[in-house]
Amino acid sequence: MWIDYLVWTVQNLLFPVVVPVVLLTGVILAVWIERRGAGFIQDRVGPNRVTLFGFRNAGLMQPIADALKLLVKEEFIPEKADRFLFFLAPTLSMIPALLTFMVIPFGDVLVLGKYRIPLQVADLNVGLLFIFAISSLGVYGIVLGGWSADNKYSILGGLRSSAQMISYEISMGLAIIGILIVFESVRLNDIVRMQGDLLFGFLPRWGIVVQPLGFLLFFVAALAETNRIPFDLPEAEAEIVAGYHLEYSSFKFSMFFMAEYVNMMVASGFIVSLFLGGWQIPWLPTEALVAHVGPILTAVLQVAAFAVKLWFIMWVFVWVRWTLPRFRYDQLMGLGWRVMLPLALANIFVTSVVPFVLGVY
Amino acid sequence: MIQAIFFYIFAASAVVMALVVVSARNPIYSAAALIGCLLSVACIFVLQSAHLLALLQVLVYAGAIMVLVLFVLMLLNLSRDELGRRRITVRRVTGVYLVGALVTLMTIRFTKHLWAPAVSLEPGFGTIEEVGKILYTKYLLPFEMVSLLLLAAIIGAVVLTRKEKGDGR
């Protein structure tokens, strides 16, 4: 049957190609939000002059112009740089960023007659661990890129990055344990589906409602893992010029740049799936939606709900960046080890003890 | 069939990476190759349906421990002169001989099972649920003993790095 092949193609060939393309295109929107958001917060207009075929679109063409500019710029490689690793590093930071999004569900399973199409590239039994494992590899691009350039500032950036990643990955992993205890699954789609329930009959059972401290810890750790202000010590301009990508120019620089924004989108998608109900539209379970508007429109609405939540978190990232100053390095380490780690452990303890006290088990 | 092809790709890359680890002059390259080797082995685990094991290998070894190794190597940042030249020493010759002996022995030992009939896996093999069940029932005692050992190591690390009072450092 040709329709069998069509469904198979969509699941196994179309999704793995379309999702990275959408992510890379999303970088344009992310850069636009970043630059116009910065303008908005600093009470100025922001870049809005670039036109393409007479369309200004409030500056939405600016990121395209930026990308073109980066592509045609002169490529400079330091004389004493380790050329092999210098070439490899931008790719190493890009690939894990794109891979991680593969297990994040962007809609409920689409049921069309006898076909069941999961709106997610890979529904892994170990989905959560996959995200942690692959995203922990992203640091190598920064570390090796910093080392290979043979520049003291970029080595410092790489060193800072490796120490920071290790410190905050621990709090990040521990902040998740509470969610795992509450939802009793490591499959991301199961976790999202369970967030459709209602608490006390009116409150959606989102992760942020049942695990507020977990959400806060995870959000802060995500800021640190994506090297965003206030945690952008690896590229702190005031101290180490541009940190790990100091010697990079042209396309290689733009790969680091894009990887940062893709990482932000992955972190946002992860936060949305775990704490903000993923593709769930509040008070509208999938069954009710399918009964009223049909399966296709349901899928479209759920993907839209996921996208709205994801871009809201992206906006919060931008908001934080242009509001807070940068940490000092000892403050960064102090926050990670002395505040977040004990809080995450306390969160796990409380989450495991409370059900026994309330007699839920 | 396709699994066999992937197996040989990852097996070959694991062996090549391992050779680079021991033969590279620059320790940063050794570390990078070790990461590649660990990833290849993780891919072989995936082909054997041991998904949890594969991801833990990536998460713990490739993602965390190797970052620390690279951190230390970058702090040392050895220059080309300090690394010295390639020399043939007695120790190296002995090492090559021992590796050859080990490979021969292992080949003899493991090719015995080459034509054994295939055994089908139980449902749920390699999933978090199944591994967790086995760890907390059949292998509970070894599991807890390993945790105690790790706890002792953590306490040891804390004690070693703590500054003594009046040390003046």
Side-chain angles (χ1 to χ4, degrees):
Chain A
M1 276 296 281
W2 64 273
I3 198 146
D4 287 328
Y5 290 115
L6 184 72
V7 170
W8 188 88
T9 314
V10 166
Q11 249 173 285
N12 294 299
L13 297 175
L14 195 64
F15 280 173
V17 175
V18 166
V19 169
V21 171
V22 169
L23 276 179
L24 289 174
T25 322
V27 172
I28 294 177
L29 196 56
V31 174
W32 179 74
I33 291 180
E34 178 96 276
R35 300 191 67 174
R36 292 300 299 251
F40 173 69
I41 288 171
Q42 295 169 350
D43 201 14
R44 56 186 172 85
V45 181
N48 68 342
R49 293 283 149 180
V50 177
T51 55
L52 190 72
F53 309 120
F55 293 105
R56 247 164 76 173
N57 289 342
L60 204 50
M61 298 301 153
Q62 179 72 39
I64 299 173
D66 286 351
L68 274 176
K69 184 201 78 174
L70 279 172
L71 284 182
V72 296
K73 275 230 163 170
E74 184 195 350
E75 168 106 51
F76 180 78
I77 298 167
E79 197 184 333
K80 288 203 169 172
D82 188 304
R83 291 179 76 96
F84 178 68
L85 288 180
F86 193 78
F87 271 73
L88 194 66
T91 334
L92 283 182
S93 67
M94 193 67 181
I95 291 174
L98 289 176
L99 264 182
T100 356
F101 208 85
M102 295 297 169
V103 290
I104 295 178
F106 41 87
D108 203 354
V109 178
L110 177 60
V111 182
L112 289 173
K114 62 172 178 150
Y115 300 104
R116 295 171 58 82
I117 307 172
L119 292 185
Q120 149 184 42
V121 179
D123 188 10
L124 294 184
N125 168 271
V126 281
L128 262 173
L129 274 176
F130 179 85
I131 296 186
F132 276 110
I134 304 297
S135 65
S136 68
L137 298 177
V139 65
Y140 290 121
I142 295 175
V143 171
L144 292 176
W147 178 82
S148 64
D150 196 41
N151 179 312
K152 59 187 170 196
Y153 296 118
S154 53
I155 287 186
L156 279 175
L159 281 175
R160 284 179 173 196
S161 178
S162 52
Q164 178 177 330
M165 290 283 178
I166 289 281
S167 310
Y168 280 85
E169 219 162 63
I170 293 170
S171 315
M172 201 177 195
L174 291 177
I176 294 289
I177 306 276
I179 282 285
L180 297 184
I181 295 174
V182 172
F183 293 118
E184 296 172 0
S185 177
V186 277
R187 238 174 233 266
L188 269 170
N189 217 356
D190 288 353
I191 293 176
V192 175
R193 201 164 292 133
M194 267 187 277
Q195 295 184 52
D197 301 344
L198 294 179
L199 276 179
F200 316 118
F202 68 96
L203 200 60
R205 193 167 169 245
W206 285 4
I208 190 172
V209 177
V210 287
Q211 283 283 309
L213 183 60
F215 170 74
L216 192 67
L217 291 171
F218 190 84
F219 184 75
V220 174
L223 280 178
E225 292 283 304
T226 49
N227 289 328
R228 296 284 296 180
I229 283 182
F231 299 101
D232 71 334
L233 275 293
E235 52 173 291
E237 297 92 341
E239 306 149 30
I240 50 174
V241 197
Y244 63 94
H245 55 44
L246 171 59
E247 297 285 3
Y248 280 92
S249 49
S250 185
F251 191 58
K252 293 197 191 67
F253 172 76
S254 71
M255 273 183 83
F256 273 125
F257 189 73
M258 287 193 326
E260 184 187 330
Y261 283 97
V262 173
N263 268 325
M264 274 167 69
M265 276 187 269
V266 171
S268 306
F270 203 18
I271 290 172
V272 166
S273 300
L274 289 176
F275 294 100
L276 297 177
W279 39 258
Q280 298 272 5
I281 305 169
W283 303 291
L284 285 177
T286 312
E287 296 78 37
L289 270 174
V290 170
H292 282 92
V293 297
I296 303 251
L297 195 57
T298 305
V300 172
L301 285 173
Q302 284 178 340
V303 173
F306 178 77
V308 167
K309 291 173 187 173
L310 189 146
W311 287 106
F312 173 73
I313 295 290
M314 291 292 281
W315 164 245
V316 177
F317 273 118
V318 172
W319 193 358
V320 168
R321 168 165 183 184
W322 299 104
T323 310
L324 296 178
R326 182 180 296 135
F327 279 116
R328 237 175 32 225
Y329 201 70
D330 57 320
Q331 292 170 332
L332 173 100
M333 284 295 154
L335 179 73
W337 291 102
R338 298 216 183 102
V339 180
M340 290 186 47
L341 186 62
L343 275 178
L345 289 171
N347 186 42
I348 294 173
F349 181 73
V350 171
T351 315
S352 6
V353 167
V354 161
F356 284 104
V357 176
L358 295 179
V360 178
Y361 289 130
Chain B
M1 184 59 209
I2 192 130
Q3 287 210 337
I5 295 171
F6 274 113
F7 171 79
Y8 284 115
I9 292 173
F10 293 130
S13 106
V15 172
V16 170
M17 291 289 184
L19 287 176
V20 174
V21 173
V22 289
S23 61
R25 292 308 295 152
N26 193 327
I28 296 265
Y29 270 87
S30 291
L34 186 51
I35 297 163
C37 181
L38 291 168
L39 289 179
S40 311
V41 175
C43 291
I44 294 176
F45 285 156
V46 171
L47 288 177
Q48 306 289 325
S49 309
H51 296 148
L52 180 63
L53 196 59
L55 284 182
L56 287 180
Q57 160 117 344
V58 176
L59 187 64
V60 176
Y61 288 100
I65 290 176
M66 289 313 294
V67 175
L68 290 178
V69 170
L70 270 180
F71 183 86
V72 174
L73 289 177
M74 277 169 69
L75 269 183
L76 296 174
N77 201 22
L78 298 170
S79 67
R80 204 156 292 176
D81 309 327
E82 287 167 284
L83 290 173
R85 275 205 319 249
R86 207 180 288 266
R87 287 192 311 266
I88 296 177
T89 57
V90 178
R91 208 192 305 171
R92 284 195 185 147
V93 175
T94 324
V96 169
Y97 171 75
L98 286 177
V99 166
L102 189 66
V103 168
T104 321
L105 278 176
M106 280 166 76
T107 317
I108 295 168
R109 179 77 182 79
F110 290 123
T111 41
K112 272 186 197 164
H113 302 288
L114 205 58
W115 308 113
V119 182
S120 64
L121 296 173
E122 292 160 33
F125 176 87
T127 61
I128 293 187
E129 292 90 344
E130 288 303 312
V131 174
K133 266 182 209 158
I134 290 177
L135 268 188
Y136 284 99
T137 52
K138 196 173 167 191
Y139 297 106
L140 183 62
L141 188 65
F143 180 70
E144 293 297 335
M145 279 160 80
V146 168
S147 354
L148 268 183
L149 203 60
L150 283 174
L151 187 66
I154 292 171
I155 293 170
V158 170
V159 169
L160 282 178
T161 50
R162 243 182 61 173
K163 281 181 204 163
E164 293 292 322
K165 262 185 193 164
D167 201 5
R169 266 188 293 166

